[in-house]
Amino acid sequence: MTVPLVQAHHIFGLQASVVNNVFYFDDQSIMFPSGSSCVRYNIDQKWQKFIPGSEKSQGMLALALSPNRRYLAISEKGEKATVTIYDVQHDQSRKRKSLSVNDLQAQEFISIAFSPDSKYLIAQSGQPDWTLIYWLWKKQKIIGVMKTTTNTNPVYQVSFNPQDNAQICVIGDGVLKLLRFADGSLKQTNFQKLELQNFLSHAWMPDDRIIVGTDMGKLYLFELAELRWEHNLVLDWKRTSFTVNQVQPPAPPQPKITALAIYSKGFMCSAGPAVVYMFEKGEEKDTFKKTRVIRIPQDLYSTDPTQAEQQEILTLCLSPSEETLIASTNKNQLYSITLSSAEMSKGDLVQFEILSQSFHSNVITGLDTCIRKPLIATSSIDRSIRLWNYETNVLELYKEFQEEAYSVAVHPSGLYILVGFSDKLRLMNLLIDDIRTFKEFTIRSCRECSFSNGGHLFAVVNGNVIHIYSTTTFENQVNLKGHNGKIRAIVWNSEDNKLISSGMDGAVYEWNTLTGKRESECVLKSCSYTGLCISPDSKSIFAVGSDRTLKEITDSQIIREVPSNDVAYTCIVMSHSGRMLFIGTANGTVRSMKVPLPVKKEWNEYQAHAGPVTKMVITYDDQYLLTVSEDACLMIWKIIDKEGRVLKRDKEVGHSEEILITKSDLQEKNQLTLELKTRVEELKMENEYQLRLKDMNYNDKIKELTEKFIQEMESLKTKNQVLKTDKDKVEVKHKEDTTVILDKHSKELEDLETMNNQKLMLEYEKYQELQLKSQRMQEDYERQLNEMDESKSQALEELTEYYETKLQEKIAHIDQLQEESRQQIKEADETKKQIEEDSDREIQDIKIKYERNLRDEKEANLRLKGETGIMRKKFTSLQKEIEDKQGEIEKLKSEHVKLHGVIRSLEKDIQGLKKEILERDETIQDKEKRIYDLKKKNQELEKFKFVLDYKIKELKKQIEPRENDIKEMKDQIQQMETELELFHKHNTQLELNIGELKQKLKATEVEMRKEMEKVQNVESIVKRFKTDVYNCVAFIQEPKKLKETVRQLYEKYVPQSDVFEIATVDSDIQREFGRQRNHLEKSIATLQKKLVKDTEIHRADNVRIMQENVALIKEINDLRHELKVARIKVHDLEVALGTLRKNKKPCAIEFKDNCSRNGAVSRLNFDHETERIIEIQRQEIKNLRDQIQTLEEIQHQPVGTLPTLAI
């Protein structure tokens, strides 16, 4: 017989310690870790598929499902921290990649996550490294590494932004970091200053927002690392009940946000023990309000129902359609709730329901099955006894007790159960809905118990003593003493006359159950036995223990030992057919062997549990293998043959449908049925009475309706009679009309027949004539056809001969062309390969070139920013002109934006090239597979080597002059740049000259103003003097008054210091007065000449300034023309090089060009301003000349001469 095969069929349990331990695969199925596997469970159809863990794995730590729901990542603990990725859309969940880091000290990745496009994976390692690894996982390439924290502040969770591959969030105890992957490294974005707390969970919301929860019940909403919303949770804690023994009720629990889930209306969070809060978006932006509270219900099967309300929720997950919410707890339980409006609006109290069935929450210590029913009984340290159905895969019965259960045995009938509790051994009835004790034995902490195959006896272990009791009388039949250590395993033989036991003392004893005597023994003190089984013929005993070997014992002698390859065996079981042996290990694996044991190490090993296997049982029909473990999971295996078919039992035993029920329960149910029957009778009587009342009402209504209908029928009959008389009259009239019409119609028919006969005769004669014509034409056509056939046959023969010769020539030509095309295809394939290699090399060079260009662009931008700052300082004095030129600055800004757009497009091109390189890498991997085939064609390809070498030389000859041209063009560009810099310096010098000229103009303006003020003062004095003289002339006839007024004028216009009192007037004074008058007249004449001379000089200066301005404008226009020519040359060179101005130097040229253009424009505007100022000054000079001319005219008048003084 070959080695037996088993296949995982179903598993009951959950690994709550795994991060992200439940999630939806689709709307009908979920995935969760159980044992050493990840299970895909269909909620509707109840089937399971298994994704087993790695062989050397020490357990799962975290799970992650890719957003496209194709890949599953499992973090496993081992000698090296490992992440294994599976393709879950494949039927067998094919293993794709295994990711690990060689120089990493940590042995585990505590949190993992896929990127939104499922191409990247991040993994957070544990202590002591606490390193975040960023993988391109399909190529097993690490592209980013960062240490996130220290040992004092552990990290709990990492995740990707669902809309951005490059944004990552990391949280932990005092850790809240937002990372961005850029330029080949991970960089941190600082959050708003916030008091560091123990952050337990987080989730990404739309618009790059993050919701974070703490262990103190605080919720924070961040957007771009800025705090937008904060909320303190307060538990709506209502104490339902507490036991009488409790002096005071328990303290209210503290809110702790251990899990978050996002949905379209808001988010959900675990707000404390067994409580989930639903938040929806508020009316204001970035606010949320609590709308619903969902609680885990009490466990009615537990001795303390409130214990279920103390469970901590670890994970929340929503179905893709957002109809169902699933929660996992730290007690290994899965709960679900339907979020439809109908379910949520039934009442304020909304509660979860158990998903499928409840699981054990602690180590499973006992396992047994029976013959007459498909039941499995398990006991656990979590104080519960559970009965499972291995055919329907459901939990049949469940009850929790006050003491821990260490062992369990089921009676072969399936109606009784024996359980070893910490205080007593109890024999209990399995009722329809309860497990009820009916006999207790004073045996504490019974670790092993077993019913005999017939069910009439049961054996229990009490330390190192075995007690055998009668199942019917409960009397102690015999006590088996002899072991020096604790007994770890007992087993009955098939006839129930022998009992085999093994213990920690290394002894295997065979007892006679009737006499209580030891019939055989095998002692090996170096081995502590943990499990044994016996063959169906009771001749061989198989035992396993601490020495890591499988022993076969016959007649008290160890006849065969099979080593385990350094794996500790924990338990063993043999099939009822005696041909299969199954062993459980401390690693959680299951091994299957054939019997008799092979000489070589031959077995099949299966990944089963995440902890040591504690018990194993095979069902009576050898169809299923049952295993339990310290990981609190029960696993059902199907035993199959090579072809995958289930093994058939020689004798099939049907399962019974009988159940136990107590008399009191039966009486209660009978009483309830009687009450229900009486209630039914009463309802029948009441319904009959109601029917009679309704019949009476309906009869009355029918009578009324019949009377009404009779009246209506009579009225309708009268109407019908009237209508009949009308009908008769209409019929008579109709008959008369029809007779008249028939007569008329017959006459018309006769006339038509005569006319048609005449027409037919005429047509027949025509037909005869046409027939004769057609016969003649037919004869002519037949003769012509014969002639044409003969000519056609001759022409056809000539054409066939011509085209056959031509066809042979074409066939020969086609063969020649085909031969040439084959040769060309071969050459094309080789050239294609060479071109692909060249293109890959060119792509790499282009990538390096564009990266260098990008760096140069960034440096140029920084330098340009510095130059713009300097230029701003230079042009602070010209703020008014800058305000006028805002439009041009906006144009420059738009050009700057365009440059940034060009840079972005270049970055996109680089990304596209990177993607193209990735695709090329994949194609290279595919082509490597073809290398073996291409080696065979190597001999044929050598023939083309010479041709290809010649072509390569030709290409090199063509490339060299192009490279020389490129170098020359680069040199020309550099020379043009130096020329442009010189032009820029020359422009700055011209600006300085213009500044000096402006200062000179300002000085001339100040002098002109002073002169104008002087002229205005003189004019005002002259005007006042004229008016006073005019007033004096009025007293020309009165000398005294005239003298008085002249004296007043003298005192008014002549300073007092020059006044001398003249007592008398003599001739000398008169002469002096005349001399002074002549002197004044001469001084006025010289001043006039000087004024004319100054005006001429000023006019010459103005002409000189205008000529200088004209020369400057001409020079500016020449410079502008030269710049335009230089720009055209640069553009022609760029076109010749086939590149755009994207590097550093073109940017500098363009910036200088812009600067020079801006300077020229501003300088041109300044020239216009100076011309305007000169025009104003000309106008003012003209006004001054007019004023001087008027003064001269006044001076030449006779009134202008000073009058003689009269004494």
Side-chain angles (χ1 to χ4, degrees):
M1 181 185 173
T2 58
V3 177
L5 304 173
V6 293
Q7 183 181 9
H9 177 60
H10 206 89
I11 192 165
F12 300 98
L14 172 70
Q15 292 294 320
S17 60
V18 178
V19 178
N20 192 23
N21 54 27
V22 63
F23 47 83
Y24 267 93
F25 181 73
D26 52 37
D27 276 324
Q28 288 78 35
S29 57
I30 60 171
M31 300 185 84
F32 59 88
S34 186
S36 66
S37 306
C38 186
V39 181
R40 181 182 169 188
Y41 176 63
N42 190 294
I43 300 170
D44 299 330
Q45 300 176 7
K46 310 295 183 186
W47 52 257
Q48 290 183 349
K49 288 184 179 179
F50 294 83
I51 304 170
S54 303
E55 292 182 1
K56 295 183 180 180
S57 170
Q58 298 177 11
M60 289 184 286
L61 294 171
L63 299 178
L65 185 67
S66 63
N68 61 5
R69 303 188 184 277
R70 179 172 180 179
Y71 303 110
L72 172 69
I74 302 176
S75 169
E76 295 175 312
K77 187 177 181 181
E79 295 178 359
K80 288 195 300 184
T82 307
V83 176
T84 308
I85 299 175
Y86 296 88
D87 186 352
V88 290
Q89 289 188 355
H90 195 269
D91 291 337
Q92 303 299 324
S93 296
R94 186 174 59 188
K95 184 176 178 180
R96 290 294 300 268
K97 298 289 180 184
S98 183
L99 309 176
S100 61
V101 184
N102 293 325
D103 56 351
L104 196 67
Q105 297 180 7
Q107 296 182 346
E108 58 188 13
F109 289 116
I110 57 173
S111 181
I112 54 179
F114 276 101
S115 63
D117 59 2
S118 306
K119 291 182 180 179
Y120 301 95
L121 180 89
I122 52 171
Q124 174 66 53
S125 69
Q127 58 184 356
D129 296 309
W130 298 106
T131 304
L132 182 70
I133 312 293
Y134 192 106
W135 266 298
L136 178 63
W137 67 266
K138 288 187 179 179
K139 294 188 177 180
Q140 297 181 332
K141 182 181 177 182
I142 297 173
I143 59 175
V145 177
M146 182 179 183
K147 186 167 183 178
T148 53
T149 183
T150 59
N151 284 328
T152 56
N153 299 98
V155 171
Y156 301 137
Q157 187 182 6
V158 296
S159 68
F160 272 104
N161 184 341
Q163 281 82 35
D164 190 356
N165 284 348
Q167 200 168 20
I168 300 166
C169 183
V170 181
I171 64 161
D173 189 359
V175 179
L176 179 59
K177 294 181 179 180
L178 192 64
L179 309 179
R180 176 165 285 281
F181 181 77
D183 299 330
S185 62
L186 290 166
K187 298 176 183 178
Q188 182 175 348
T189 304
N190 292 324
F191 272 90
Q192 182 178 341
K193 287 187 178 179
L194 185 71
E195 182 183 355
L196 292 178
Q197 304 176 48
N198 189 2
F199 299 102
L200 297 180
S201 60
H202 77 279
W204 288 87
M205 300 188 74
D207 302 327
D208 297 336
R209 294 183 295 173
I210 310 172
I211 188 81
V212 184
T214 70
D215 62 342
M216 300 302 292
K218 290 186 177 181
L219 284 167
Y220 297 100
L221 180 68
F222 294 96
E223 183 177 357
L224 300 175
E226 293 184 3
L227 183 63
R228 298 293 188 188
W229 180 69
E230 182 180 352
H231 183 72
N232 287 328
L233 288 182
V234 179
L235 285 180
D236 300 331
W237 189 72
K238 297 180 181 179
R239 181 172 51 83
T240 54
S241 63
F242 61 94
T243 58
V244 179
N245 296 329
Q246 290 176 337
V247 179
Q248 58 184 7
Q254 293 296 324
K256 186 187 291 186
I257 302 167
T258 54
L260 284 161
I262 306 299
Y263 70 113
S264 58
K265 295 181 180 178
F267 66 91
M268 288 172 276
C269 66
S270 63
V275 179
V276 172
Y277 285 169
M278 292 182 66
F279 285 84
E280 292 184 2
K281 295 175 185 176
E283 295 177 356
E284 298 179 2
K285 187 181 178 182
D286 294 331
T287 59
F288 296 88
K289 58 181 180 179
K290 185 175 71 176
T291 57
R292 183 68 64 181
V293 180
I294 309 172
R295 299 180 182 275
I296 293 177
Q298 294 184 358
D299 188 359
L300 301 178
Y301 295 97
S302 174
T303 54
D304 185 7
T306 59
Q307 284 297 317
E309 297 178 341
Q310 304 302 318
Q311 297 181 84
E312 184 177 307
I313 295 173
L314 301 178
T315 308
L316 293 172
C317 73
L318 269 171
S319 62
S321 60
E322 296 187 356
E323 290 183 357
T324 309
L325 174 68
I326 291 181
S328 65
T329 69
N330 61 340
K331 296 292 185 182
N332 299 349
Q333 305 300 326
L334 289 173
Y335 293 91
S336 69
I337 187 170
T338 303
L339 297 178
S340 62
S341 58
E343 292 292 327
M344 297 295 282
S345 60
K346 285 183 178 178
D348 293 331
L349 185 62
V350 182
Q351 291 184 340
F352 281 103
E353 295 177 354
I354 289 283
L355 180 70
S356 65
Q357 53 265 330
S358 64
F359 304 132
H360 282 291
S361 60
N362 212 327
V363 178
I364 299 176
T365 55
L367 172 69
D368 199 14
T369 184
C370 62
I371 299 171
R372 297 288 292 141
K373 290 187 177 182
L375 293 179
I376 309 166
T378 55
S379 62
S380 173
I381 295 176
D382 63 6
R383 302 178 181 178
S384 67
I385 303 295
R386 297 171 194 262
L387 287 170
W388 317 82
N389 191 316
Y390 59 78
E391 287 186 347
T392 59
N393 300 322
V394 296
L395 180 65
E396 294 278 354
L397 198 56
Y398 153 57
K399 189 171 183 180
E400 193 171 320
F401 297 87
Q402 292 183 349
E403 295 84 18
E404 294 178 351
Y406 295 115
S407 60
V408 67
V410 184
H411 193 269
S413 65
L415 299 175
Y416 312 105
I417 191 170
L418 186 67
V419 185
F421 289 99
S422 58
D423 59 343
K424 289 181 181 179
L425 177 73
R426 292 181 174 85
L427 185 63
M428 295 182 280
N429 285 326
L430 296 178
L431 304 178
I432 187 171
D433 56 358
D434 194 10
I435 303 173
R436 197 168 296 176
T437 305
F438 70 92
K439 183 63 180 177
E440 293 182 346
F441 303 90
T442 56
I443 298 173
R444 299 170 63 86
S445 301
C446 175
R447 299 284 178 174
E448 296 291 333
C449 61
S450 177
F451 279 99
S452 63
N453 292 314
H456 60 291
L457 299 174
F458 61 87
V460 296
V461 173
N462 186 8
N464 55 2
V465 180
I466 301 172
H467 304 287
I468 296 178
Y469 289 89
S470 171
T471 308
T472 54
T473 61
F474 310 124
E475 292 181 357
N476 189 356
Q477 299 289 330
V478 66
N479 295 326
L480 308 177
K481 298 179 181 179
H483 282 280
N484 295 324
K486 289 184 178 180
I487 300 169
R488 297 296 302 274
I490 57 173
V491 63
W492 295 85
N493 71 339
S494 58
E495 296 176 357
D496 291 340
N497 58 355
K498 290 181 182 179
L499 183 72
I500 297 88
S501 63
S502 65
M504 301 291 290
D505 55 355
V508 177
Y509 294 146
E510 185 177 344
W511 307 89
N512 189 316
T513 57
L514 299 175
T515 61
K517 292 181 179 180
R518 190 164 59 203
E519 292 189 351
S520 66
E521 62 182 31
C522 179
V523 180
L524 184 65
K525 291 186 177 181
S526 62
C527 176
S528 297
Y529 289 106
T530 56
L532 60 84
C533 64
I534 187 170
S535 61
D537 57 3
S538 304
K539 291 181 180 180
S540 299
I541 299 170
F542 299 90
V544 295
S546 60
D547 62 350
R548 301 187 176 186
T549 59
L550 168 63
K551 300 175 179 64
E552 184 178 356
I553 302 170
T554 303
D555 296 331
S556 302
Q557 297 294 324
I558 299 172
I559 63 170
R560 191 176 290 107
E561 289 189 13
V562 180
S564 65
N565 291 347
D566 292 332
V567 176
Y569 289 143
T570 56
C571 54
I572 185 170
V573 67
M574 179 178 276
S575 65
H576 294 90
S577 64
R579 292 177 291 180
M580 296 177 288
L581 199 64
F582 298 96
I583 306 168
T585 68
N587 293 341
T589 59
V590 173
R591 290 182 176 178
S592 62
M593 297 182 181
K594 64 181 179 180
V595 179
L597 294 176
V599 177
K600 298 179 181 180
K601 299 175 183 178
E602 187 180 352
W603 61 68
N604 291 328
E605 190 164 7
Y606 303 93
Q607 299 293 320
H609 294 278
V613 179
T614 54
K615 294 287 180 184
M616 297 177 71
V617 172
I618 292 181
T619 58
Y620 185 70
D621 56 3
D622 285 346
Q623 300 283 320
Y624 298 99
L625 169 68
L626 313 172
T627 60
V628 294
S629 169
E630 291 183 5
D631 62 1
C633 292
L634 164 65
M635 198 163 185
I636 302 173
W637 304 79
K638 268 188 180 180
I639 302 172
I640 58 176
D641 57 11
K642 274 185 179 180
E643 298 175 356
R645 294 176 298 188
V646 179
L647 298 176
K648 292 186 178 180
R649 180 77 172 158
D650 296 336
K651 294 181 181 179
E652 293 186 1
V653 179
H655 294 141
S656 64
E657 298 292 334
E658 293 83 3
I659 55 170
L660 289 180
I661 187 167
T662 61
K663 187 176 179 182
S664 60
D665 289 342
L666 188 61
Q667 287 175 351
E668 286 178 3
K669 288 182 178 176
N670 289 335
Q671 184 67 31
L672 185 63
T673 52
L674 286 171
E675 289 176 359
L676 290 172
K677 281 181 181 178
T678 54
R679 178 65 179 159
V680 167
E681 292 294 331
E682 290 174 358
L683 288 170
K684 279 184 180 179
M685 294 291 289
E686 188 175 353
N687 287 334
E688 287 177 357
Y689 177 69
Q690 293 292 333
L691 284 170
R692 280 198 296 271
L693 288 175
K694 287 180 180 179
D695 286 338
M696 292 171 65
N697 290 327
Y698 288 144
N699 288 329
D700 293 337
K701 287 180 180 179
I702 287 167
K703 284 180 181 178
E704 292 176 359
L705 289 171
T706 49
E707 290 176 358
K708 191 184 288 183
F709 288 146
I710 288 166
Q711 292 176 0
E712 289 180 356
M713 284 172 68
E714 288 178 354
S715 62
L716 288 170
K717 282 179 180 179
T718 54
K719 286 181 181 178
N720 193 15
Q721 192 68 30
V722 172
L723 290 170
K724 278 184 179 180
T725 55
D726 294 338
K727 181 190 171 187
D728 294 336
K729 290 177 182 178
V730 170
E731 283 180 352
V732 171
K733 189 177 180 182
H734 182 65
K735 284 179 181 179
E736 292 174 355
D737 293 337
T738 50
T739 52
V740 173
I741 289 165
L742 286 171
D743 294 337
K744 189 176 179 182
H745 183 62
S746 61
K747 288 179 182 178
E748 288 177 353
L749 274 174
E750 289 176 358
D751 295 337
L752 286 170
E753 280 179 358
T754 54
M755 287 173 70
N756 285 330
N757 288 327
Q758 292 174 0
K759 286 180 180 179
L760 280 170
M761 291 299 291
L762 293 169
E763 292 294 330
Y764 183 71
E765 289 174 356
K766 289 179 182 179
Y767 172 71
Q768 291 291 334
E769 292 175 358
L770 290 169
Q771 196 169 7
L772 291 170
K773 283 182 182 180
S774 66
Q775 285 177 0
R776 292 192 202 99
M777 288 173 74
Q778 193 170 1
E779 290 173 358
D780 294 336
Y781 285 134
E782 283 177 358
R783 188 177 64 256
Q784 290 176 5
L785 281 170
N786 292 327
E787 292 174 357
M788 288 174 75
D789 285 336
E790 291 174 358
S791 62
K792 180 185 174 184
S793 61
Q794 290 176 0
L796 206 142
E797 288 174 359
E798 292 173 359
L799 285 170
T800 50
E801 289 176 1
Y802 173 71
Y803 281 112
E804 278 177 359
T805 55
K806 204 167 185 181
L807 186 64
Q808 289 175 359
E809 292 175 1
K810 293 289 181 183
I811 287 167
H813 187 59
I814 286 165
D815 293 337
Q816 186 180 355
L817 289 173
Q818 284 178 351
E819 186 65 29
E820 290 177 0
S821 66
R822 289 193 201 97
Q823 193 72 16
Q824 287 176 359
I825 287 164
K826 289 179 182 178
E827 291 178 3
D829 291 338
E830 185 61 30
T831 53
K832 182 182 176 184
K833 182 182 177 184
Q834 190 68 27
I835 287 164
E836 285 179 352
E837 292 176 359
D838 294 340
S839 63
D840 292 337
R841 200 179 301 109
E842 286 175 5
I843 285 164
Q844 189 66 26
D845 295 338
I846 289 165
K847 179 186 174 186
I848 293 164
K849 180 182 174 182
Y850 279 117
E851 287 178 353
R852 193 183 299 116
N853 291 344
L854 188 62
R855 270 198 312 275
D856 295 340
E857 285 290 339
K858 288 181 179 177
E859 292 173 2
N861 282 335
L862 291 172
R863 190 169 60 76
L864 289 173
K865 285 180 183 176
E867 289 183 4
T868 51
I870 293 164
M871 295 303 291
R872 281 176 191 160
K873 290 178 182 177
K874 284 184 180 179
F875 289 106
T876 49
S877 62
L878 302 172
Q879 288 296 326
K880 292 180 181 179
E881 293 179 9
I882 290 168
E883 288 175 1
D884 296 333
K885 303 301 175 184
Q886 283 296 329
E888 293 180 4
I889 291 167
E890 290 296 325
K891 290 179 183 177
L892 289 173
K893 285 182 180 178
S894 65
E895 289 178 3
H896 197 260
V897 170
K898 287 177 183 177
L899 284 173
H900 278 292
V902 171
I903 291 165
R904 290 193 197 97
S905 65
L906 286 174
E907 289 176 351
K908 289 179 181 177
D909 293 339
I910 290 165
Q911 289 178 358
L913 288 170
K914 285 181 180 178
K915 289 180 181 177
E916 191 174 352
I917 288 163
L918 292 174
E919 292 173 358
R920 288 292 177 88
D921 290 339
E922 291 176 359
T923 55
I924 286 164
Q925 288 178 1
D926 295 334
K927 286 179 180 179
E928 283 176 358
K929 296 176 183 177
R930 295 171 55 197
I931 287 170
Y932 180 73
D933 297 330
L934 292 171
K935 282 180 181 178
K936 293 180 181 179
K937 298 178 182 179
N938 198 12
Q939 294 175 355
E940 296 177 3
L941 294 172
E942 284 177 358
K943 296 176 183 179
F944 303 106
K945 187 176 181 183
F946 178 76
V947 178
L948 291 172
D949 290 336
Y950 178 74
K951 286 184 179 179
I952 288 163
K953 288 177 182 177
E954 289 291 328
L955 288 169
K956 283 182 178 178
K957 288 177 182 178
Q958 292 176 5
I959 288 166
E960 285 175 0
R962 288 184 181 176
E963 289 179 349
N964 295 327
D965 293 339
I966 289 165
K967 285 181 181 178
E968 289 176 0
M969 288 178 179
K970 284 182 178 178
D971 295 335
Q972 288 179 5
I973 288 165
Q974 288 178 355
Q975 290 174 3
M976 291 178 75
E977 282 179 358
T978 54
E979 289 176 3
L980 283 170
E981 287 177 357
L982 292 172
F983 288 148
H984 185 62
K985 289 178 182 177
H986 189 59
N987 288 334
T988 53
Q989 187 63 36
L990 289 173
E991 286 175 1
L992 293 172
N993 294 334
I994 290 166
E996 291 176 0
L997 290 172
K998 285 174 73 176
Q999 289 177 357
K1000 288 180 181 178
L1001 282 171
K1002 285 181 181 177
T1004 55
E1005 283 178 3
V1006 172
E1007 290 177 0
M1008 289 292 295
R1009 287 195 193 97
K1010 288 180 180 178
E1011 292 294 329
M1012 286 174 69
E1013 286 176 359
K1014 287 180 182 179
V1015 170
Q1016 286 175 359
N1017 292 330
V1018 170
E1019 285 178 354
S1020 61
I1021 291 166
V1022 169
K1023 282 180 182 179
R1024 287 199 302 273
F1025 186 74
K1026 280 181 180 180
T1027 53
D1028 291 338
V1029 169
Y1030 182 75
N1031 293 329
C1032 286
V1033 170
F1035 300 107
I1036 194 78
Q1037 301 298 328
E1038 297 178 1
K1040 291 183 178 179
K1041 286 185 179 180
L1042 181 63
K1043 183 181 178 181
E1044 187 66 28
T1045 52
V1046 168
R1047 188 182 289 114
Q1048 289 175 0
L1049 283 172
Y1050 182 76
E1051 290 174 356
K1052 184 177 180 181
Y1053 294 103
V1054 177
Q1056 293 295 324
S1057 60
D1058 296 334
V1059 177
F1060 297 98
E1061 293 181 359
I1062 301 169
T1064 59
V1065 178
D1066 53 6
S1067 60
D1068 295 332
I1069 291 169
Q1070 289 284 344
R1071 283 194 300 271
E1072 183 67 23
F1073 178 75
R1075 189 178 60 80
Q1076 287 179 0
R1077 186 182 64 186
N1078 293 327
H1079 175 71
L1080 289 171
E1081 288 175 354
K1082 287 177 183 178
S1083 62
I1084 288 167
T1086 54
L1087 284 171
Q1088 286 177 351
K1089 290 177 182 178
K1090 193 176 181 180
L1091 183 62
V1092 170
K1093 197 173 184 180
D1094 288 338
T1095 52
E1096 289 294 332
I1097 292 165
H1098 190 65
R1099 189 181 296 109
D1101 290 336
N1102 285 334
V1103 169
R1104 184 177 53 79
I1105 290 166
M1106 285 175 68
Q1107 287 174 353
E1108 288 177 357
N1109 285 333
V1110 169
L1112 286 171
I1113 289 165
K1114 187 177 180 182
E1115 191 174 356
I1116 286 164
N1117 289 329
D1118 294 338
L1119 287 171
R1120 199 178 300 148
H1121 181 68
E1122 287 175 3
L1123 280 174
K1124 189 174 181 182
V1125 172
R1127 227 178 280 130
I1128 291 164
K1129 287 182 180 178
V1130 170
H1131 182 68
D1132 293 337
L1133 288 171
E1134 287 175 351
V1135 171
L1137 289 170
T1139 57
L1140 292 172
R1141 295 188 298 174
K1142 297 175 182 176
N1143 53 6
K1144 174 183 175 183
K1145 293 177 181 178
C1147 284
I1149 290 166
E1150 187 176 355
F1151 179 76
K1152 289 175 183 177
D1153 188 12
N1154 291 333
C1155 290
S1156 63
R1157 187 169 65 250
N1158 292 337
V1161 173
S1162 62
R1163 206 172 295 119
L1164 187 63
N1165 293 328
F1166 179 73
D1167 293 338
H1168 287 300
E1169 186 70 19
T1170 54
E1171 287 176 2
R1172 189 174 61 82
I1173 292 166
I1174 290 165
E1175 191 66 29
I1176 292 166
Q1177 289 177 353
R1178 284 178 184 167
Q1179 190 68 33
E1180 288 177 354
I1181 289 164
K1182 187 178 180 182
N1183 294 331
L1184 286 170
R1185 284 176 182 167
D1186 294 338
Q1187 290 175 3
I1188 289 164
Q1189 192 174 359
T1190 53
L1191 286 171
E1192 287 176 351
E1193 289 175 356
I1194 293 167
Q1195 190 176 2
H1196 288 296
Q1197 288 177 1
V1199 182
T1201 58
L1202 292 173
T1204 58
L1205 292 171
I1207 301 170

